[in-house]
Amino acid sequence: MRRVAEDTDVFVIGGGPAGLAAALAARQAGLDVIVADRGQAPVDKACGEGLMPDGVAALRLLGVHLPAGCGTPFRGIRFLDGDLAAEASFASGHGLGMRRTDLHRLLVDHAAGVGIDMRWHSDVAAIEPGGVWLDGRIVRCRWIVGADVMQSRVRRSVGIPAAWRGARRVGLRQHFRVRPGTDVGAVSWGSGRQAYVTPVAPDEICIALIADRPGLRFADLPAAFPDLARRLGGAAPLDAARGAVSMSARWRAVTHGPVALVGDASGSVDAITGEGMALAFRQALVLGAALARGDLASYAAAHPRMGRLPRAMARLLLFMGRHDGLRRGALRLLAHQPGIFDRLLAVHVGGFGHAQPA
């Protein structure tokens, strides 16, 4: 086993995509970084596995270059509700569908290549002034970044309370050996539930089901989303269904002394927006710039602005999901006026320009 360093500039708690993105941004600023996680790479999580164009752009700014053939590009979004269909294309760039584990491996490999010290199967027992207790010894550091999911132990240890929490929803994800047959990501709508279909390989799709109430199962697809079930054509799943909670949440602060929170640990947006990963990457870029300046105030100020549009969009889409007549009327309008949908999608994924590091 490698000996744990006695000191570092930045200590990141949580080695998922958000934590690794924050580590990469700090490393780009010339800082020494240690990342610690209880688990082992690759870290998986139930999600729709689609990166919006702003997320793809943020990866490039983090220095992560996607090799040819990595993931499956998609050019826009399609909304489906029974006999209604509305489609919009991204104004620039493309989305990217790829398995969460593949994305994580890519981030881990790049982090190792730039000299980030990663500690898997490692437990941070406590945070104290000037350092953290890792595997029974103190590691001194200037900055601590909490990237340890929504129920963050880092957030709770420094006493940052919740400012607002939205409704908790339940999600399931599973992969199927089916040719996508389209170059868009699709959202099928039902009353209080959605099914997200993302192409992740030339012969594979990811389906994520999210519902306002627990109990929705993949076995219920023929009744809940008959068109999607017919598209699967009886294809057997490639893996077991994996579940997760989806919700929007905002905390009273995202920094406390030398501690900063990033990703879901800093607050979350409902998965209905498709922006969770992209938002975490944008936060990481701004945090890296703040760490380089030695002052977290700019990150604390920018963070709520970055989350404002995604949370507003989540409220709007969830409202649509719970009001069938309103939703179908809106989709009918978007189907007949596709330019409106194009502009709305451009607004939704166009906030990236306001979130780049200063």
Side-chain angles (χ1 to χ4, degrees):
M1 294 180 62
R2 289 181 300 161
R3 183 173 180 272
V4 178
E6 295 182 354
D7 60 76
T8 189
D9 295 315
V10 182
F11 196 104
V12 180
I13 302 172
L20 289 172
L24 289 171
R27 189 69 183 137
Q28 280 185 332
L31 302 173
D32 291 332
V33 186
I34 294 175
V35 177
D37 194 287
R38 288 176 167 181
Q40 176 61 49
V43 175
D44 200 3
K45 177 185 175 182
C47 66
E49 299 188 325
L51 271 177
M52 293 295 206
D54 51 339
V56 176
L59 276 178
R60 293 194 187 102
L61 286 179
L62 287 165
V64 180
H65 300 287
L66 301 168
C70 177
T72 300
F74 58 94
R75 63 167 179 81
I77 300 295
R78 179 181 296 146
F79 283 174
L80 302 163
D81 189 345
D83 58 340
L84 292 174
E87 187 175 300
S89 297
F90 299 122
S92 61
H94 60 79
L96 188 69
M98 62 187 306
R99 283 209 181 199
R100 173 74 170 236
T101 48
D102 291 340
L103 174 62
H104 194 250
R105 288 189 188 96
L106 193 69
L107 291 167
V108 168
D109 289 347
H110 185 62
V114 297
I116 293 171
D117 187 354
M118 287 173 290
R119 299 287 169 168
W120 304 105
H121 292 304
S122 294
D123 186 32
V124 175
I127 296 173
E128 66 175 43
V132 300
W133 281 95
L134 177 69
D135 297 334
R137 62 183 300 162
I138 188 73
V139 179
R140 299 292 175 189
C141 53
R142 293 170 57 198
W143 309 104
I144 299 167
V145 176
D148 53 340
V149 303
M150 192 166 14
Q151 302 302 325
S152 168
R153 287 196 305 159
V154 176
R155 175 178 67 84
R156 286 179 282 136
S157 72
V158 297
I160 297 176
W164 170 79
R165 286 189 177 97
R168 289 168 60 95
R169 304 204 302 145
V170 179
L172 291 173
R173 183 210 69 196
Q174 204 163 26
H175 298 94
F176 295 84
R177 182 75 70 200
V178 175
R179 293 185 65 83
T182 179
D183 59 354
V184 297
V187 182
S188 293
W189 293 81
S191 185
R193 59 198 179 203
Q194 299 86 39
Y196 308 82
V197 180
T198 307
V200 294
D203 59 349
E204 183 181 330
I205 61 173
C206 167
I207 299 180
L209 304 179
I210 304 183
D212 292 353
R213 297 181 180 85
L216 184 63
R217 303 167 303 160
F218 275 94
D220 300 323
L221 268 181
F225 301 102
D227 290 342
L228 178 54
R230 282 192 292 272
R231 178 180 170 188
L232 286 177
L238 296 173
D239 51 9
R242 178 181 285 267
V245 170
S246 174
M247 66 182 292
S248 296
R250 180 166 47 85
W251 315 134
R252 293 195 181 277
V254 295
T255 62
H256 182 88
V259 176
L261 304 175
V262 70
D264 283 352
S266 69
S268 59
V269 293
D270 191 278
I272 199 168
T273 66
E275 278 288 279
M277 197 82 74
L279 181 59
F281 294 161
R282 299 199 302 267
Q283 291 167 357
L285 286 163
V286 177
L287 176 57
L291 293 171
R293 289 192 292 267
D295 182 7
L296 293 177
S298 60
Y299 177 66
H303 189 280
R305 294 197 298 269
M306 286 186 280
R308 196 169 294 141
L309 179 59
R311 271 191 283 271
M313 190 63 72
R315 287 193 292 268
L316 173 61
L317 293 173
L318 288 172
F319 186 79
M320 285 176 54
R322 292 163 186 154
H323 295 79
D324 296 352
L326 172 66
R327 180 183 66 252
R328 287 183 63 82
L331 291 188
R332 201 171 283 113
L333 171 65
L334 296 178
H336 285 93
Q337 300 288 336
I340 295 176
F341 199 0
D342 286 341
R343 289 192 290 275
L344 288 173
L345 185 60
V347 170
H348 181 50
V349 301
F352 179 66
H354 303 292
Q356 295 185 40

